[in-house]
Amino acid sequence: MSERLPIDVGINGRPQHLDVAAHHTLLEVLRDQLGLTGSKECCVVGECGACTVIVDGRTVNSCLMLAVEADGHDIRTVEGLARGPELSELQQAFLDRGATQCGFCIPGQLMSAEALLERNADPTVDEIHEALAGNLCRCAAYEQITDAVLAAAEARHR
């Protein structure tokens, strides 16, 4: 039997008290314990970025972070981007620009792009490439993804 530890976290703006297995990653807890399946399990070694979430404003590969390390922190997942039934400007821009392709990498791409736009409201193409360098897209939709981030930045200025 594995040891379970209590943690208190904020998930998409809501406080949560959880008992987690000491060896479970944040990704496992988000997907299996909380049912937040937007963050994808793919490489499980932090190379693809499909599991990217935002922890206290910084992007994290949730497959590499133990859930107990998240104790006391605020976590945002792709499920927290939309405002009720409305997509965020960033999500809408991904749809409008055809950046979604197969969709598997998109939650991680969206979270990295959201973190970038939160710290830099007017990023350059090079800054977008740097911010999303840890997110791989097997469909090679990088041009559409970059266009979507630029469009979202512009939409946020209106």
Side-chain angles (χ1 to χ4, degrees):
M1 183 166 179
S2 66
E3 180 183 9
R4 298 191 72 81
L5 298 169
I7 64 170
D8 290 296
V9 293
I11 305 282
N12 297 325
R14 294 190 185 118
Q16 297 271 335
H17 178 79
L18 304 168
D19 287 317
V20 300
H23 66 283
H24 279 182
T25 65
L26 179 57
L27 178 62
E28 291 173 307
V29 169
L30 290 172
R31 290 183 59 82
D32 302 335
Q33 199 166 332
L34 297 175
L36 298 172
T37 58
S39 302
K40 302 301 182 208
E41 182 177 328
C42 189
C43 72
V44 196
V45 292
E47 291 184 0
C48 72
C51 65
T52 302
V53 298
I54 299 173
V55 177
D56 293 339
R58 303 182 74 166
T59 56
V60 170
N61 290 320
S62 61
C63 70
L64 297 180
M65 182 177 193
L66 290 174
V68 295
E69 294 175 304
D71 187 29
H73 296 281
D74 290 314
I75 300 155
R76 289 181 55 209
T77 69
V78 72
E79 288 89 348
L81 286 183
R83 296 179 197 103
E86 299 290 323
L87 295 177
S88 71
E89 297 98 348
L90 184 60
Q91 291 171 308
Q92 189 62 55
F94 267 63
L95 286 176
D96 293 345
R97 302 293 172 150
T100 52
Q101 302 287 317
C102 82
F104 194 81
C105 71
I106 296 307
Q109 302 274 4
L110 284 166
M111 297 315 290
S112 291
E114 179 66 21
L116 169 65
L117 293 175
E118 288 176 1
R119 68 177 185 275
N120 181 354
D122 193 23
T124 66
V125 168
D126 287 343
E127 289 168 333
I128 293 169
H129 290 168
E130 178 66 25
L132 278 63
N135 297 89
L136 302 180
C137 175
R138 293 180 181 166
C139 303
Y142 296 108
E143 186 174 331
Q144 295 94 328
I145 291 169
T146 301
D147 288 346
V149 176
L150 289 169
E154 185 177 320
R156 289 182 179 188
H157 289 299
R158 288 186 218 143

